[in-house]
Amino acid sequence: MMKFRFRRQGADPQREKLKQELFAFHKTVEHGFPNQPSALAFDPELRIMAIGTRSGAVRIYGAPGVEFTGLHHNAATVAQMHFLPGQGRLLTLLDDNSLHLWEIVPHNGCAHLEEMLSFQLPSRPVFDGASTLPSLSRVTVVLLVADGNRAALGTEGGSVFFLNMDTLTLLEGQTLAPDEVLRSLPDDYRCGKALGPVESLQGHLQDPSKILIGYSRGLLVIWSQTAHCVERVFLGNQQLESLCWERSGSTVVSSHSDGSYAIWPADSGSSLVLQPTAATMPYGPFPCKAINKILWRNCESGGHFIIFSGGMPRASYGDRHCVSVLQAETLVTLDFTSRVIDFFTVHSTLLEDEFDDPQALAVLLEEELVVLDLQTPGWPAVPAPYLAPLHSSAITCSAHVANVPAKLWARLVSSGEQQSPQPTSSTSSWPITGGQNLAQEPSQRGLLLTGHEDGTVRFWDASGVALRPLYKLSTAALFQTDCEHADSLAQAAEDDWPPFRKVGCFDPYSDDPRLGVQKVALCKYTARMVVAGTAGQVLVLELSDVPAEQAVSVASMDLLQDREGFTWKGHDQLSPSTGPLPWPAGFQPQVLVQCLPPAAITAVTLHTEWGLVAFGTSHGFGVFDYQRKSPVLARCTLHPNDSLAMEGPLSRVKSLKKSLRQSFRRIRKSRVSGKKRAVNASSKLQEANAQLAEQAYPHDVEVTPVQRRIEPRSADDSLSGVVRCLYFADTFLRDAVHHGPTLWAGTNSGSVFAYALEVPAAATGSEKRPEQAVEAVLGKEVQLMHRAPVVAVTVLDGRGRPLPEPYEASRDLAQAPDMQGGHAVLIASEEQFKVFTLPKVSAKTKFKLTAHEGCRVRKVALATFASVACEDYAETCLACLTNLGDVHVFSVPGLRPQVHYSCIRKEDISGIASCVFTRHGQGFYLISPSEFERFSLSARNITEPLCSLDIRWPRDTTCDRHSGAVRGHALAHLHGLSHQCRHHAGHYRGRYNGGCERFLGLFRGTPEESAECGAR
């Protein structure tokens, strides 16, 4: 008996080293607005701002690019936040009654935000006689005392406790109980109801030993810490909401639950003040809602600012979210579209300054951050360089454009500036300017395009850490909708009261869901783009630097091709506006192509060198010549049983009977196939032999896993005609000698259609082709065996590289493709990747991802991975995201697995669906409706915060006392999301999306990784 010995290839050490130089997984930064914010803080010395969220996250922002991230381990809601000015330390109070002290800590040139101390306040009486800690009820308010490292804690029981900030422990013998305050009150006031919880604590800027305490009942007292007694009492009877102490300390302003505020004299000779000098209900006399917070800021020019939230008439405007700004006779009611969380003013806090002179007002809302310039007449909004609300209208699609030319970039910036011009008198800029961004200028400019439910496309600068808005394109003006009527109703007359002023850009309501953008494609060399929508509308637009008034050509294409037996049951198409329409500078529509039936566009591609656009729906695909404004091709891909394709995404009609029938068919098939396998005992031996034969191939890696048996999909599955991908390529389709333009289309049933296009060649020296008709002829048709949906199609040249984009080769912007050797086409389905030779379309190599890994492909992209060791070496690989949230990287064209990482939780369906890859090995996906998580698969191309802060590090208290403030320059190199320093940042996220709580796992670095980070 002969024995055969199969030798498996082991791991190649040289290749493993090269992999480490090419690939590395990092979650680097979060773009957008924090989900569900709950607290706000501002450090006036360092000019940095902190935002806390309901998931326990802490985000600190400074100048664009200066960001720090941390998370509480118990993931409770952050109720309050307070900076220790100039120290880079932050005290947080959670809703579980715990206190946490955070600090920006330097370590070997690498600084990070770290939780230094935490203290769980005892909320119930302690019966253990050995315990000396007083019992606390829930903390309602925190005040950092300015005369030392202490904090005052007001509680629901009315007591005020004091905390040592160095050790985060309670100070014994300094507690202010309600009984001590009651002894200073008149008998008639004392005999009434209880004082209630402590609602507000305010410090005196000139005399830190004095604390203003406000109780829920309405009582205000000034407590002297040095004399340990009540200096002054203000007998208020209206339920208190908030307090503010005027800068000089001579005036106190209080806001109340009935929508009024009162002004009290704090410098009167009497220690007992019975009545305020003024009490006003700004929006009375009818019942009003509570004024939740109030600020008083004085100005050198005269006319102080009174800024407060709430206070609106309960019956008429009780559902409005407002902040009112009052100066002298000027009152503006800022009307927001989401709930007000908190607000602060940016003003002078130096002791030698006599006036506040506020520069800006920052308002944190539930869905956005709004900053107003208070030094410019009219108080205009200041454009935010980051924290923009990505979800101002719900995001429906996204795309990334890399290496944007400088000319196109400048034109986009100019168009965006014309959309929101700033007043010429405005001299104020973004006021949160703390820290310094030390990151190098990005080597290339990257654009992130987001399509939205209201028909807009927003352009974002994704080159660095801060995601900056550049330009917004709106397509709603092209169609007849009800938005004009809604806008006219929203504009209030000048004499209306209250004087509302709409502020902010968060507007989640769409006038017509058919306006939703489904697909976008941009040619960065010709400044043309395609925007495709929910109702089958395909818009071809061109960038213009000047406004224009022009009519838009409208064409329609019937993708059913008069096929009988199909009736569209979905929504109607949008009605385009007629006649010339005014268009601002920016992208202006040239042609509107309406697909019939008006189903949502599922795929789109643009080839500006040929003047063609291709689009697909659930019924078929078409090609349109936008240069001649004429159709080229329409192909129906419907199967006779595709009834669901005729119902549309907005229809609730579904055949339950058909679903049950298909389920029973699948069960019956699996049972029958199982019996057949049991009868045929030799089939197992054949499978084993086949696996042994495959192991002998040299392209296999270390271990060949057992492949799962995948049942072929039925040809009559619903929605099998959906077009999943479209691709233009100049390649060999008819024979191996002549190459030319082709179109490739992949469907949900595993079919791939390849059409040869006859495109008239442009004259020498000209980029515009002749005005001759383009013809399309079916060249090949491929049916995948398992009928798995085709996710992507890409043609590889003779060197195995993807073909360049339109105009890249002709303008010498990229290496010309190899048109001498044999081309190949890479077809990626949900179950496997397969490379076919061209023009014969014979299988060359494949990788069965579903059979090997038990997952299905959701997103694929070809990316270039540059080496960190050698600047000139790079590889083009296939990046793949699966339905389990894992990212796999394969070599091209060999399809050898390189690396794979766990990226997104498999339960996070919306995050997986929103993922988009870049050409340089990075990616984005939504972790909440308002935030993109950025990750990198490349060891070299990483976008992460790199910043510095001038911080007073109060570690040597002796040195502090003798030499004053010790200043240290901390290199804040935050690897908060990268795998090397995630050990330090402890980056963990809880996110809500669509009502479901979605958590990103907590990554704990190994000691070796921590040591490596410290060494770096």
Side-chain angles (χ1 to χ4, degrees):
M1 183 177 178
M2 297 180 63
K3 293 184 179 180
F4 294 93
R5 188 175 182 181
F6 294 94
R7 295 185 61 187
R8 256 182 222 175
Q9 283 192 341
D12 184 2
Q14 194 70 21
R15 181 61 191 173
E16 293 301 317
K17 180 183 178 183
L18 188 57
K19 285 182 184 180
Q20 295 179 3
E21 297 171 354
L22 292 173
F23 311 111
F25 180 71
H26 308 269
K27 286 185 179 179
T28 54
V29 69
E30 293 175 2
H31 295 302
F33 185 77
N35 189 39
Q36 297 181 325
S38 57
L40 177 69
F42 179 67
D43 188 335
E45 291 190 24
L46 294 180
R47 288 292 182 105
I48 55 177
M49 174 184 66
I51 295 178
T53 70
R54 289 176 59 182
S55 61
V58 177
R59 307 276 293 273
I60 297 179
Y61 301 93
V66 179
E67 294 186 13
F68 301 91
T69 304
L71 185 98
H72 296 89
H73 294 292
N74 48 357
T77 298
V78 180
Q80 295 183 40
M81 310 175 76
H82 302 273
F83 273 110
L84 279 71
Q87 300 182 16
R89 296 198 293 171
L90 178 72
L91 180 67
T92 60
L93 171 67
L94 305 188
D95 65 350
D96 63 357
N97 217 35
S98 63
L99 288 167
H100 304 261
L101 184 64
W102 296 81
E103 186 172 341
I104 300 176
V105 182
H107 179 68
N108 293 338
C110 177
H112 52 274
L113 183 66
E114 183 175 334
E115 182 179 344
M116 306 299 294
L117 297 170
S118 64
F119 178 51
Q120 180 67 49
L121 299 169
S123 57
R124 295 179 180 177
V126 180
F127 297 101
D128 184 6
S131 176
T132 59
L133 283 175
S135 61
L136 287 173
S137 57
R138 181 169 295 275
V139 176
T140 55
V141 63
V142 178
L143 170 67
L144 294 177
V145 182
D147 64 345
N149 275 348
R150 292 187 304 154
L153 310 178
T155 65
E156 282 185 348
S159 300
V160 178
F161 297 85
F162 290 89
L163 192 75
N164 187 328
M165 290 299 299
D166 290 331
T167 59
L168 219 60
T169 56
L170 292 176
L171 297 173
E172 299 183 21
Q174 299 190 24
T175 303
L176 173 60
D179 295 341
E180 296 187 54
V181 177
L182 286 173
R183 285 195 291 266
S184 304
L185 303 181
D187 293 340
D188 55 344
Y189 195 91
R190 188 188 313 168
C191 296
K193 57 184 179 179
L195 297 181
V198 178
E199 291 290 342
S200 182
L201 293 172
Q202 297 292 321
H204 195 298
L205 185 63
Q206 308 295 334
D207 187 357
S209 66
K210 296 180 181 180
I211 297 179
L212 177 64
I213 307 172
Y215 295 90
S216 178
R217 178 179 173 180
L219 175 70
L220 316 179
V221 298
I222 295 180
W223 175 261
S224 173
Q225 299 180 76
T226 55
H228 204 72
C229 67
V230 175
E231 281 194 358
R232 186 167 278 105
V233 176
F234 307 89
L235 297 181
N237 291 303
Q238 186 61 45
Q239 182 177 339
L240 183 70
E241 293 291 329
S242 74
L243 286 175
C244 183
W245 211 337
E246 187 261 341
R247 185 182 186 92
S248 65
S250 61
T251 303
V252 172
V253 59
S254 61
S255 67
H256 303 276
S257 60
D258 63 346
S260 65
Y261 67 85
I263 300 175
W264 305 80
D267 55 355
S268 61
S270 173
S271 62
L272 181 65
V273 181
L274 301 178
Q275 296 291 335
T277 56
T280 307
M281 185 178 292
Y283 299 107
F286 298 106
C288 295
K289 300 192 73 174
I291 294 180
N292 303 312
K293 181 177 179 178
I294 192 165
L295 296 178
W296 177 300
R297 300 288 183 256
N298 56 19
C299 301
E300 187 175 6
S301 59
H304 53 264
F305 278 93
I306 295 180
I307 306 170
F308 59 89
S309 61
M312 303 308 299
R314 189 176 296 274
S316 305
Y317 305 106
D319 59 342
R320 299 289 186 99
H321 311 289
C322 298
V323 171
S324 300
V325 183
L326 173 64
Q327 185 186 30
E329 301 299 322
T330 304
L331 172 64
V332 173
T333 307
L334 306 174
D335 188 10
F336 302 101
T337 54
S338 58
R339 184 169 60 93
V340 178
I341 303 297
D342 201 355
F343 59 93
F344 65 84
T345 58
V346 180
H347 61 277
S348 172
T349 56
L350 299 177
L351 294 177
E352 57 268 21
D353 290 344
E354 185 179 353
F355 300 96
D356 295 311
D357 286 328
Q359 306 167 15
L361 168 67
V363 184
L364 176 65
L365 307 163
E366 198 168 34
E367 305 292 351
E368 60 183 325
L369 177 75
V370 176
V371 177
L372 299 182
D373 178 7
L374 296 182
Q375 294 185 331
T376 301
W379 304 328
V382 180
Y386 51 82
L387 285 177
L390 302 174
H391 63 317
S392 52
S393 177
I395 296 177
T396 51
C397 68
S398 56
H400 185 269
V401 182
N403 299 325
V404 178
K407 184 177 180 181
L408 173 60
W409 191 269
R411 295 177 67 187
L412 285 173
V413 172
S414 175
S415 300
E417 290 174 348
Q418 294 182 51
Q419 285 182 331
S420 55
Q422 292 299 302
T424 55
S425 59
S426 177
T427 58
S428 178
S429 58
W430 185 250
I432 304 163
T433 57
Q436 182 182 2
N437 183 15
L438 301 181
Q440 296 180 354
E441 284 295 319
S443 57
Q444 54 92 18
R445 301 176 183 87
L447 269 180
L448 182 65
L449 310 181
T450 55
H452 297 265
E453 191 181 34
D454 61 354
T456 59
V457 179
R458 287 172 166 81
F459 293 66
W460 307 90
D461 177 6
S463 308
V465 172
L467 192 69
R468 183 169 61 98
L470 295 180
Y471 166 73
K472 182 180 77 171
L473 163 67
S474 178
T475 62
L478 184 59
F479 303 100
Q480 298 176 7
T481 61
D482 297 332
C483 59
E484 294 86 358
H485 177 64
D487 290 342
S488 63
L489 292 178
Q491 294 177 353
E494 293 182 359
D495 56 350
D496 280 355
W497 181 263
F500 287 118
R501 172 182 158 193
K502 282 284 185 184
V503 182
C505 60
F506 177 72
D507 184 12
Y509 306 106
S510 174
D511 298 299
D512 194 328
R514 296 175 296 174
L515 291 170
V517 177
Q518 296 296 322
K519 298 291 178 181
V520 292
L522 171 67
C523 176
K524 57 190 177 185
Y525 301 115
T526 59
R528 279 192 174 89
M529 74 177 302
V530 176
V531 178
T534 304
Q537 69 272 25
V538 180
L539 270 172
V540 181
L541 307 99
E542 186 174 4
L543 184 61
S544 175
D545 298 327
V546 294
E549 185 171 345
Q550 61 187 16
V552 179
S553 301
V554 180
S556 60
M557 291 188 65
D558 184 9
L559 299 183
L560 290 182
Q561 304 222 302
D562 301 325
R563 184 175 293 197
E564 297 180 357
F566 291 94
T567 304
W568 174 248
K569 303 175 185 177
H571 50 267
D572 296 330
Q573 67 185 64
L574 287 164
S575 300
S577 302
T578 57
L581 298 173
W583 300 103
F587 279 97
Q588 300 172 355
Q590 307 293 318
V591 183
L592 168 63
V593 183
Q594 178 63 56
C595 296
L596 298 175
I601 302 298
T602 57
V604 72
T605 186
L606 174 69
H607 202 293
T608 52
E609 201 165 357
W610 301 337
L612 300 177
V613 58
F615 42 84
T617 68
S618 56
H619 308 125
F621 58 91
V623 180
F624 189 83
D625 182 353
Y626 64 82
Q627 183 173 317
R628 297 182 69 250
K629 299 178 182 177
S630 61
V632 175
L633 166 69
R635 170 69 185 260
C636 181
T637 57
L638 280 179
H639 189 272
N641 292 329
D642 273 349
S643 59
L644 289 182
M646 307 308 294
E647 294 172 2
L650 303 181
S651 171
R652 297 179 182 270
V653 181
K654 188 173 181 181
S655 173
L656 178 61
K657 189 182 297 183
K658 180 173 181 180
S659 299
L660 291 173
R661 188 185 306 120
Q662 290 177 345
S663 299
F664 281 117
R665 283 179 181 172
R666 292 192 184 99
I667 293 173
R668 195 180 304 118
K669 278 184 181 178
S670 63
R671 287 177 178 172
V672 171
S673 59
K675 291 179 180 178
K676 289 181 179 178
R677 286 195 298 271
V679 172
N680 188 6
S682 63
S683 61
K684 291 184 178 180
L685 181 59
Q686 293 175 359
E687 290 180 7
N689 289 335
Q691 289 180 12
L692 288 174
E694 286 185 358
Q695 291 172 5
Y697 284 116
H699 61 262
D700 275 352
V701 289
E702 312 158 17
V703 178
T704 304
V706 177
Q707 297 186 13
R708 295 164 176 83
R709 187 178 183 88
I710 307 300
E711 294 292 337
R713 304 190 184 197
S714 174
D716 61 354
D717 278 353
S718 299
L719 300 176
S720 62
V722 175
V723 177
R724 296 288 297 271
C725 62
L726 292 163
Y727 177 69
F728 283 117
D730 183 359
T731 186
F732 300 91
L733 187 61
R734 294 175 176 172
D735 54 57
V737 178
H738 305 91
H739 62 87
T742 60
L743 170 71
W744 299 75
T747 71
N748 228 23
S749 60
S751 299
V752 178
F753 303 94
Y755 279 82
L757 305 175
E758 293 291 343
V759 180
T764 305
S766 173
E767 291 185 347
K768 190 173 182 181
R769 63 177 175 80
E771 293 291 333
Q772 298 176 9
V774 178
E775 297 181 359
V777 179
L778 180 62
K780 307 287 183 182
E781 185 172 344
V782 180
Q783 178 62 59
L784 300 182
M785 181 182 301
H786 290 294
R787 299 184 179 275
V790 178
V791 179
V793 177
T794 302
V795 172
L796 308 174
D797 68 1
R799 293 186 292 264
R801 299 175 180 175
L803 300 182
E805 296 182 11
Y807 286 112
E808 274 191 336
S810 60
R811 296 182 180 180
D812 294 329
L813 300 171
Q815 185 179 3
D818 182 4
M819 308 303 285
Q820 303 298 325
H823 282 198
V825 58
L826 169 61
I827 299 178
S829 72
E830 284 191 358
E831 296 179 359
Q832 67 178 8
F833 309 119
K834 204 165 188 177
V835 175
F836 297 87
T837 60
L838 290 177
K840 292 184 178 181
V841 193
S842 58
K844 185 178 181 182
T845 183
K846 64 182 177 181
F847 184 85
K848 298 179 179 179
L849 184 69
T850 302
H852 285 213
E853 305 291 340
C855 55
R856 296 190 183 277
V857 178
R858 288 292 176 260
K859 303 281 183 176
V860 294
L862 287 170
T864 301
F865 294 88
S867 171
V868 292
C870 178
E871 293 186 1
D872 299 330
Y873 184 78
E875 290 186 9
T876 299
C877 298
L878 180 71
C880 155
L881 176 69
T882 71
N883 63 329
L884 302 181
D886 298 332
V887 177
H888 299 253
V889 179
F890 299 88
S891 64
V892 173
L895 298 181
R896 297 183 181 92
Q898 302 299 305
V899 290
H900 74 274
Y901 308 102
S902 179
C903 181
I904 311 174
R905 288 192 328 120
K906 63 181 179 181
E907 295 85 3
D908 187 3
I909 299 175
S910 59
I912 295 173
S914 64
C915 182
V916 56
F917 290 105
T918 73
R919 291 182 59 183
H920 298 286
Q922 294 194 32
F924 304 82
Y925 68 92
L926 287 173
I927 55 175
S928 75
S930 60
E931 287 176 289
F932 272 111
E933 177 83 74
R934 186 172 190 148
F935 64 91
S936 175
L937 304 173
S938 171
R940 179 174 173 181
N941 187 22
I942 305 173
T943 303
E944 59 185 348
L946 179 64
C947 46
S948 67
L949 277 173
D950 282 327
I951 296 176
R952 182 174 64 216
W953 302 102
R955 289 189 172 82
D956 189 350
T957 56
T958 305
C959 180
D960 264 5
R961 283 196 301 267
H962 291 284
S963 61
V966 180
R967 308 293 276 181
H969 190 73
L971 178 63
H973 186 182
L974 176 64
H975 293 274
L977 301 177
S978 65
H979 79 287
Q980 289 102 333
C981 291
R982 194 161 321 172
H983 163 87
H984 296 302
H987 189 77
Y988 178 106
R989 281 296 186 198
R991 286 292 181 263
Y992 292 86
N993 191 7
C996 296
E997 186 174 9
R998 298 156 34 205
F999 291 98
L1000 301 178
L1002 175 63
F1003 184 97
R1004 290 292 184 186
T1006 63
E1008 291 78 12
E1009 290 171 339
S1010 303
E1012 180 185 351
C1013 173
R1016 293 191 312 119

